[in-house]
Amino acid sequence: MKTVIVSRRALLSVASPPRATEFRLLQYVDTFCQIAARRLALTSGNTILITANDVRGWLCAWQSSPAPVPMQPKRHRLQEARPAEF
């Protein structure tokens, strides 16, 4: 079991407009958990400190990951070739 500390600057860096509130912490708790999970293997102590640099690194990795391609509904060739009837 480890303690995770989120710095004020990390809260300010996670979203725009910058806010260091309890609501912002709860709103992005999944993000902070992902960052903490990455740091877990690198930290030997009982405390993980999440800083603004950690948030910036996470945002860069998140923004550079490919977006999922939305699936197009399958259309039959007859529907494409047939003119619309009114």
Side-chain angles (χ1 to χ4, degrees):
M1 194 176 231
K2 302 218 182 221
T3 302
V4 176
I5 298 172
V6 179
S7 73
R8 181 176 186 276
R9 289 190 180 221
L11 279 173
L12 293 171
S13 299
V14 77
S16 184
R19 291 190 180 118
T21 63
E22 183 180 354
F23 179 76
R24 180 61 54 95
L25 176 65
L26 295 174
Q27 187 179 16
Y28 286 91
V29 72
D30 290 334
T31 300
F32 295 123
C33 285
Q34 289 177 16
I35 295 169
R38 284 188 190 170
R39 301 273 315 274
L40 191 61
L42 304 173
T43 306
S44 60
N46 290 332
T47 304
I48 297 172
L49 174 62
I50 298 176
T51 65
N53 288 337
D54 297 322
V55 172
R56 284 188 211 105
W58 180 87
L59 285 172
C60 288
W62 181 78
Q63 290 171 347
S64 66
S65 65
V69 178
M71 296 202 45
Q72 297 292 327
K74 204 170 191 180
R75 296 169 62 179
H76 298 287
R77 290 185 182 257
L78 290 176
Q79 288 177 335
E80 293 174 358
R82 188 181 306 161
E85 296 177 20
F86 294 99

